[in-house]
Amino acid sequence: MGRGAAARARVLTAALEVLAATGSAGFSVEAVARQAGASKATVYRHWSSAGDLLVDAMDQTFRPFPVPVTGGLETDLIALLEQQLTMLDGRFPRLMAAFIDAAERDPELAARHADL
């Protein structure tokens, strides 16, 4: 992984950490840069706004579940439910609540949220 890719990955991780710790009220390019140990210029080199960064961090981290192929409907459904429980036990609910809160305050972010 190149230096730019490593910095990008570090910033995406930091964005989720800031969002989980402070919610949408504390989410800013400055806070994310500080958490990532990067400059604001590094952040702006990859994202034009805090909203773009937030969408990218959420999109890169939370992907649709892989479709289980266990050979039976019942076992497939159980596998899907287990995946959902694992996700709900982590920080996903807190991050999603903060993301939705931010989208309610920012019309552009709300439109991007709808696209996701």
Side-chain angles (χ1 to χ4, degrees):
M1 180 181 301
R3 195 176 92 178
R8 188 176 195 285
R10 198 172 65 246
V11 170
L12 288 171
T13 298
L16 294 175
E17 291 169 353
V18 168
L19 186 63
T22 66
S24 64
F27 189 87
S28 67
V29 168
E30 293 81 7
V32 172
R34 187 172 41 255
Q35 180 72 24
S39 68
K40 288 192 305 184
T42 297
V43 176
Y44 282 118
R45 189 174 305 121
H46 296 280
W47 299 276
S48 61
S49 69
D52 288 341
L53 171 57
L54 180 56
V55 168
D56 201 19
M58 293 291 286
D59 188 46
Q60 293 294 318
T61 303
F62 301 106
R63 296 292 182 169
F65 296 131
V67 177
V69 183
T70 63
L73 176 61
E74 183 178 348
T75 52
D76 284 353
L77 291 173
I78 289 170
L80 277 173
L81 289 172
E82 287 174 346
Q83 290 174 5
Q84 287 181 331
L85 285 173
T86 299
M87 179 187 69
L88 292 174
D89 281 343
R91 64 182 182 174
F92 178 79
R94 194 175 21 182
L95 290 170
M96 187 53 73
F99 182 76
I100 290 169
D101 180 53
E104 287 178 354
R105 299 171 195 277
D106 180 345
E108 181 182 329
L109 191 54
R112 299 207 47 206
H113 176 242
D115 290 342
L116 288 176

